[in-house]
Amino acid sequence: MNSDTSGFKPDAFGTLPKQQEYIPNLKLSDGNEIPMLGYGLGTANSKRGNKDELDQKIVNDTLTAIRNGFYHLDCAESYGNERELSAAIAQSPVPRSKLFITTKTSCRPGESVETAFSRSLSKLGVDYVDLYLIHSPFFAESPRQLQEKWAEMEALKDSGRVRSIGVSNYLREHLEAVLETAKHPPVVNQIEYHPYLQHTGGLLDFLREKGIAVEAYGPLTAVTKAAPGPVDPIYERLAAKYGVSSAEVALRWCLDQGIVTLTTSGNEERLKNYQAKLPMFKLTPKEVEDIAEAGRKKHYRGFWKGKFDEDDRR
């Protein structure tokens, strides 16, 4: 590794990370930075049962993640676990200023973004969030509704209580509608991304053209949910080559494309290995493409299945 990479920053326009002794931050188009490896309090850590009762397991899993260097923490109001993240933050010795906190609004009918955000801020017990996302575009019945909600997001950014604003699960047509009227363009689009869902049709190229960072949830799907499949032998071969696990190859595949990557694992040994091993190796461009090419032979969508036809790969 070369010390001249110490000031290097991958960015939302597609500048790729170099191999370093750590996983770098990615520079967003608004000038802020986001850690490229994050811990997601996502579907795997959604609240079960009584949502008013604190789920200590979620708190403990989040504390485990923080203790092992995961300072990028991603949650959402729809997961019902913002209070658990708040408890973990309060119990952790890591100061708030070192954490990167994301939450999301579901855009409930008849409710303003301001109302949703104020409720989330109260549950989180913080006075600002680093990134606030609209969880999906599917609340909207017209481009105008997408634009109106985005204007409400912009007002939050202008208030100083949100450092960066973005979206999740948006397709190109949703983003084009938002960009027609946006004063502050979205800086992130968080999407399901793995070899079996690469969003054919140019979504990633469009995002990079517009300076919208790609953030992946479900990056381990080919290992955890969609196996067996055509990428398995490539993952296994590269895992043996680099002395890592197939899961670490899967995460590195995303990182090497300049994609912010989330994991939801609550296993401490696994989290330690991610932090220790992911900086130790980098896939070659050919290896990245080999995985991509094999992945295109199979289609699997783990989330929002009801919004897409079975073979819709967008």
Side-chain angles (χ1 to χ4, degrees):
M1 298 179 192
N2 197 319
S3 62
D4 68 3
T5 65
S6 59
F8 178 83
K9 286 287 186 298
D11 64 32
F13 293 92
T15 301
L16 301 179
K18 297 179 180 178
Q19 188 171 7
Q20 298 170 263
E21 295 175 356
Y22 56 90
I23 301 298
N25 291 350
L26 182 140
K27 189 170 183 179
L28 299 170
S29 59
D30 63 3
N32 294 322
E33 294 183 8
I34 183 171
M36 287 195 72
L37 186 63
Y39 180 75
L41 286 82
T43 306
N45 293 306
S46 291
K47 184 77 72 67
R48 304 289 189 265
N50 183 358
K51 293 200 173 184
D52 293 327
E53 185 176 326
L54 199 71
D55 187 322
Q56 193 59 46
K57 182 182 184 305
I58 296 174
V59 177
N60 292 343
D61 286 350
T62 307
L63 279 167
T64 296
I66 296 172
R67 183 168 62 248
N68 286 283
F70 286 83
Y71 293 174
H72 173 182
L73 305 166
D74 179 281
C75 69
E77 65 174 355
S78 68
Y79 305 150
N81 54 25
E82 290 171 318
R83 284 200 174 97
E84 281 71 16
L85 177 53
S86 176
I89 293 169
Q91 293 174 40
S92 169
V94 177
R96 164 68 184 96
S97 60
K98 289 190 175 182
L99 299 175
F100 186 101
I101 298 172
T102 300
T103 192
K104 313 173 190 76
T105 176
S106 299
C107 294
R108 298 175 184 175
E111 182 175 88
S112 69
V113 170
E114 170 65 39
T115 297
F117 177 74
S118 295
R119 182 173 58 242
S120 288
L121 208 61
S122 176
K123 289 179 179 179
L124 287 166
V126 296
D127 55 9
Y128 73 96
V129 300
D130 297 273
L131 179 62
Y132 194 49
L133 305 178
I134 294 179
H135 207 148
S136 87
F138 305 123
F139 70 89
E141 297 178 357
S142 67
R144 182 177 178 85
Q145 286 183 316
L146 292 170
Q147 293 165 350
E148 289 171 348
K149 280 299 176 189
W150 188 251
E152 294 180 47
M153 294 285 285
E154 292 176 322
L156 279 182
K157 179 173 173 61
D158 288 339
S159 77
R161 292 171 294 159
V162 178
R163 293 191 169 173
S164 296
I165 51 176
V167 296
S168 183
N169 300 297
Y170 274 46
L171 301 178
R172 177 168 178 160
E173 61 259 34
H174 304 125
L175 288 160
E176 286 176 335
V178 167
L179 291 171
E180 281 182 16
T181 58
K183 295 182 298 179
H184 302 300
V187 298
V188 165
N189 187 18
Q190 186 183 117
I191 55 176
E192 180 181 354
Y193 187 79
H194 48 79
Y196 301 145
L197 184 59
Q198 297 181 52
H199 300 275
T200 55
L203 177 61
L204 267 65
D205 288 342
F206 176 79
L207 293 172
R208 285 165 176 154
E209 176 191 336
K210 300 298 182 183
I212 301 171
V214 185
E215 184 172 6
Y217 67 84
L220 298 180
T221 294
V223 175
T224 59
K225 292 182 179 179
V231 302
D232 294 357
I234 303 176
Y235 278 173
E236 290 165 9
R237 172 172 57 81
L238 294 175
K241 173 183 175 180
Y242 291 111
V244 297
S245 68
S246 290
E248 285 148 9
V249 172
L251 294 176
R252 191 73 231 190
W253 180 73
C254 290
L255 293 170
D256 283 337
Q257 295 177 75
I259 294 173
V260 178
T261 306
L262 299 176
T263 178
T264 59
S265 176
N267 182 293
E268 183 160 19
E269 183 177 0
R270 200 169 292 144
L271 293 172
K272 282 181 179 177
N273 284 338
Y274 291 164
Q275 291 286 5
K277 293 185 177 181
L278 286 172
M280 291 172 55
F281 76 105
K282 189 179 190 302
L283 302 177
T284 68
K286 183 179 186 304
E287 289 166 347
V288 170
E289 180 51 35
D290 285 348
I291 294 170
E293 184 178 354
R296 287 190 283 268
K297 296 175 183 175
K298 177 173 178 172
H299 174 61
Y300 182 93
R301 186 186 297 275
F303 301 88
W304 302 99
K305 293 181 182 180
K307 301 296 182 182
F308 296 89
D309 292 336
E310 188 174 344
D311 198 39
D312 188 337
R313 302 185 179 217
R314 291 178 298 160

